[in-house]
Amino acid sequence: MSGNRVEIFDTTLRDGEQVPGCKLDTQNKLIIAERLDELGVDVLEAGFPISSPGDFKSVEAISKLVKNARVCGLTRAVKKDIEVAAQALKPAKRARIHTGIGTSDSHIKYKFKATQDEILERAIAAVSYAKTFVEDIEFYAEDAGRTDNVFLARVCEAVIKAGATVLNIPDTTGYCLPEEYGAKIKFLKENVKGIDKATLSCHCHNDLGLATANSIAGAINGARQIECTINGIGERAGNTSLEEVVMIMRQHPGLNLYTNINTKLLYDTSRLVSDKMGMPVQPNKAIVGANAFAHSSGIHQDGVIKNRETYEIMDPHDVGVNESAIVLTARSGRAALAYRAKNIGYELDKLQLDKVYEEFLLFADRQKEINDEDIPKIIKASGI
Ligand code: KIV
Ligand code: ZN
């Protein structure tokens, strides 16, 4: 495959699981982890081992189970966190410790009551210590979205020197605009000494609905890892949605970016996560929503029946959806009615269709949606 490979770092089981009420037990986490590995994620963030004995157990069990992806555990820039994460990740074939600290003025002043220099020292110490356990260290500069770029570059340079292999640039509060986030990545690419030794990673939250756009802007400007969750679940308005970034890169070959994801598993994976977490997927959710490939207005239906590409920019099969749906409502036209009737064995000529369509509209005004079982009743009522 030509082009630039963007690694997919899935954090459904860590940042995604921070959704209130969506706590998963180890058994369900293992089922999801196995599916994510099959899906082809490059890195699987399994949890925050020091946060609870249950999370430790889950990270350890996932580390034993996962065959292909690197398994990652989150820590604060705290020695004990790092030791516990290293312990939980021990059985992993390929382990990564994800450590970091807040770098924005507001985090430094209010959360840490510290100075920039003290934060820098703590960042270096955390990475150096983590490096004594595993080779692969990802450093996150929390609230990087609101961190001054010059200070951020200083932090990045220092942690690369200390051994960081990946630099996570989180827009923790979902504040950045795509142009601004892309420019931040570009600035780091151009101003951090040693940047070629590390991978820049996008980690965007969706507070203003910009997580996907920001992650893509980051990749366009040189980031080679995107952190995301299935269905975009996560704290507050959620994280970048895995299925969205993957399909944007696939459907826009001009970007020259590609991933290792088996897109045919996207729909089923979305449903699995939704079921296990008890988090319904909104019907109009891009890629995996129930209506993502459903057409209900007459003009669109006529176009799709003639050629799917008139109103669809993706083949539903590519994301694991069986086919586009032609939904019958009072806004549907004759073409849709004829199409659905034919699918269940009724071939209607033009005159018959006119009569049945009149009856159909009466039905459809009374009922939100017309199902296959209603069609024979409508045909009978039309008297043909
Ligand atoms: O949003 C964020 O900043 C995070 C970090 C802990 C990586 O989730
Ligand atoms: Zn986050």
Side-chain angles (χ1 to χ4, degrees):
M1 183 116 28
S2 66
N4 297 301
R5 168 79 188 281
V6 175
E7 299 218 325
I8 293 296
F9 175 115
D10 180 277
T11 183
T12 305
L13 297 177
R14 198 280 296 171
D15 223 347
E17 207 232 8
Q18 290 176 208
V19 176
C22 287
K23 188 105 196 67
L24 291 171
D25 60 19
T26 300
Q27 203 44 44
N28 281 321
K29 282 193 179 181
L30 285 170
I31 293 170
I32 293 176
E34 195 165 31
R35 171 58 64 84
L36 293 170
D37 201 25
E38 223 183 302
L39 183 66
V41 306
D42 298 284
V43 188
L44 197 162
E45 188 162 54
F48 184 7
I50 194 134
S51 65
S52 73
D55 225 39
F56 180 93
K57 192 174 135 210
S58 297
V59 175
E60 194 177 43
I62 291 169
S63 298
K64 284 182 194 153
L65 174 86
V66 166
K67 294 192 181 81
N68 307 306
R70 262 161 277 156
V71 182
C72 177
L74 186 79
T75 82
R76 294 165 295 181
V78 170
K79 271 189 156 184
K80 187 75 190 156
D81 283 30
I82 294 168
E83 285 160 16
V84 171
Q87 184 66 28
L89 291 166
K90 229 179 197 153
K93 284 201 183 81
R94 293 190 297 158
R96 175 181 292 179
I97 292 180
H98 189 190
T99 189
I101 194 161
T103 52
S104 65
D105 287 347
S106 109
H107 279 227
I108 295 174
K109 185 169 167 200
Y110 301 114
K111 243 175 88 172
F112 300 108
K113 297 182 182 26
T115 64
Q116 285 190 342
D117 285 345
E118 284 162 352
I119 292 297
L120 200 63
E121 263 172 45
R122 286 172 68 171
I124 295 167
V127 171
S128 309
Y129 191 54
K131 200 78 180 173
T132 64
F133 296 98
V134 295
E135 187 44 43
D136 190 6
I137 310 295
E138 174 163 338
F139 174 81
Y140 64 85
E142 196 181 7
D143 205 14
R146 294 186 301 170
T147 298
D148 166 63
N149 283 349
V150 174
F151 179 59
L152 189 58
R154 248 180 95 201
V155 175
C156 289
E157 201 164 304
V159 296
I160 292 173
K161 263 197 205 137
T165 46
V166 181
L167 302 174
N168 178 7
I169 311 301
D171 183 21
T172 305
T173 57
Y175 181 72
C176 286
L177 294 170
E179 206 173 280
E180 191 184 358
Y181 189 78
K184 193 174 276 291
I185 298 293
K186 187 167 189 278
F187 181 87
L188 296 173
K189 269 265 186 265
E190 290 172 354
N191 292 282
V192 173
K193 235 186 269 154
I195 195 70
D196 294 338
K197 291 196 215 112
T199 301
L200 279 164
S201 181
C202 308
H203 178 115
C204 298
H205 280 266
N206 206 30
D207 299 67
L208 291 171
L210 290 170
T212 294
N214 284 345
S215 299
I216 294 294
I220 289 171
N221 283 282
R224 288 293 170 263
Q225 179 178 277
I226 292 179
E227 310 197 2
C228 44
T229 61
I230 299 293
N231 302 331
I233 57 165
E235 291 248 8
R236 309 184 306 281
N239 287 60
T240 300
S241 151
L242 181 149
E243 56 279 5
E244 291 174 16
V245 287
V246 166
M247 289 311 289
I248 288 170
M249 289 186 261
R250 191 177 197 277
Q251 298 307 108
H252 283 276
L255 290 176
N256 211 19
L257 301 169
Y258 73 97
T259 72
N260 188 42
I261 297 296
N262 176 358
T263 62
K264 289 195 160 54
L265 295 179
L266 286 173
Y267 182 77
D268 276 359
T269 308
S270 159
R271 286 298 173 270
L272 176 73
V273 170
S274 165
D275 288 351
K276 296 288 179 204
M277 288 200 166
M279 278 274 284
V281 178
Q282 72 192 63
N284 59 326
K285 169 80 183 64
I287 323 289
V288 291
N291 293 345
F293 297 96
H295 306 274
S296 68
S297 79
I299 296 171
H300 290 208
Q301 291 176 327
D302 183 50
V304 169
I305 291 167
K306 286 175 177 147
N307 185 322
R308 195 188 53 73
E309 286 182 14
T310 53
Y311 287 96
E312 281 182 359
I313 53 110
M314 268 175 284
D315 185 337
H317 295 102
D318 287 346
V319 299
V321 172
N322 278 343
E323 56 183 358
S324 315
I326 299 293
V327 182
L328 291 179
T329 70
R331 305 290 152 256
S332 299
R334 284 174 176 72
L337 177 60
Y339 172 84
R340 286 278 300 271
K342 191 175 171 194
N343 277 355
I344 56 165
Y346 296 92
E347 193 90 51
L348 302 170
D349 66 27
K350 187 172 176 323
L351 279 177
Q352 288 173 324
L353 182 60
D354 283 345
K355 279 195 149 183
V356 176
Y357 187 64
E358 263 177 47
E359 197 60 39
F360 163 80
L361 288 179
L362 298 176
F363 256 73
D365 270 340
R366 292 194 299 267
Q367 212 166 294
K368 271 191 188 151
E369 198 181 320
I370 302 291
N371 300 312
D372 280 352
E373 309 84 71
D374 300 318
I375 294 173
K377 289 184 219 154
I378 294 171
I379 292 175
K380 193 166 175 217
S382 74
I384 65 160

